[in-house]
């Protein structure tokens, strides 16, 4: 309880519930429902939030080196790296109008660019791709899902089940 904690993250804003991002896209939850705790909670619990990128770890000197030459000293270090979206090596994947699903700023940008009747292509027929497609479809967006593996949910389902799911979703 008397520890001082610093959370270093590249993502802007308060820590949020990633599982709620698709619910946010679907209009089921608002911005306030995404955050784990209100901003004051972190200060009250001696947790500093730092938006930065870690360049190096020095376990011998117990230091974290941040981009821009800032160094943080630590007594204990927890690496909670989370997940990073995979961007397939597709020409123009970094152009304007192409988004990964994280961070929350991308989810907000997707909503701003995908009003009812807009067309959207979701690349990836895994869980997150299908949840995203379903959320946008509930907002009236015309969605096409592209999956390179041959069937939907290739990590979760055998081919026959993935193809059956595809027929169900298409219907």
């Amino acid at each position: 309880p008397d520890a001082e904690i610093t959370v270093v993250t590249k993502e802007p804003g308060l820590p949020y519930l990633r599982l709620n991002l698709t619910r946010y896209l679907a209009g089921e939850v608002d911005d306030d429902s995404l955050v784990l705790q209100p901003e004051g909670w972190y200060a009250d619990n001696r947790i500093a939030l730092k938006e930065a990128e870690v360049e190096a770890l020095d376990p011998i000197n117990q230091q974290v080196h941040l981009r821009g030459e800032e160094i943080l000293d630590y007594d204990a270090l927890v690496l909670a790296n989370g997940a990073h979206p995979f961007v397939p090596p597709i020409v123009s994947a970094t152009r304007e109008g192409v988004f990964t699903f994280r961070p929350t700023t991308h989810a907000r940008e997707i909503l701003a660019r995908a009003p009812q009747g807009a067309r959207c292509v979701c690349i990836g027929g895994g869980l997150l791709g299908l949840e995203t497609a379903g959320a946008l479809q509930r907002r009236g967006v015309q969605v096409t899902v592209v999956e390179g593996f041959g069937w939907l949910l290739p990590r979760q389902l055998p081919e026959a089940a993935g193809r059956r799911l595809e027929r169900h979703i298409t219907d």
Side-chain angles (χ1 to χ4, degrees):
D2 59 341
E4 293 182 27
I5 299 171
T6 301
V7 176
V8 179
T9 179
K10 291 189 331 185
E11 292 196 28
L14 295 172
Y16 62 95
L17 293 162
R18 287 183 174 180
L19 293 175
N20 272 351
L21 278 178
T22 51
R23 293 181 65 216
Y24 174 75
L25 280 185
E28 297 170 4
V29 299
D30 60 9
D31 276 317
D32 293 337
S33 299
L34 286 177
V35 298
L36 288 169
Q37 298 290 344
E39 190 169 2
W41 181 89
Y42 295 95
D44 292 345
N45 287 280
R46 300 171 59 177
I47 300 172
L49 301 174
K50 184 160 207 55
E51 185 181 337
E53 186 171 352
V54 175
E55 280 192 330
L57 300 176
D58 180 354
I60 294 170
N61 295 309
Q62 293 185 292
Q63 294 179 326
V64 175
H65 295 253
L66 304 179
R67 181 157 306 211
E69 300 187 18
E70 184 177 358
I71 297 173
L72 301 176
D73 295 313
Y74 65 85
D75 296 313
L77 175 66
V78 176
L79 294 176
N81 296 335
H84 303 284
F86 169 72
V87 178
I90 298 172
V91 175
S92 303
T94 58
R95 291 186 66 179
E96 185 173 335
V98 178
F99 301 96
T100 59
F101 194 52
R102 297 181 197 120
T104 55
T105 53
H106 284 201
R108 289 183 188 98
E109 188 70 25
I110 290 168
L111 284 180
R113 291 174 177 252
Q116 186 172 1
R119 294 177 310 183
C120 178
V121 175
C122 289
I123 299 175
L127 284 172
L128 190 56
L130 293 180
E131 285 181 0
T132 301
L136 290 170
Q137 187 274 331
R138 283 192 289 283
R139 286 189 174 261
V141 175
Q142 297 174 37
V143 181
T144 300
V145 174
V146 178
E147 170 55 54
F149 197 85
W151 65 85
L152 298 178
L153 297 178
R155 290 185 176 182
Q156 291 82 14
L157 298 177
E159 183 175 358
R163 293 199 184 283
R164 185 173 183 180
L165 175 62
E166 179 182 351
R167 287 190 302 275
H168 175 74
I169 289 173
T170 302
D171 289 344

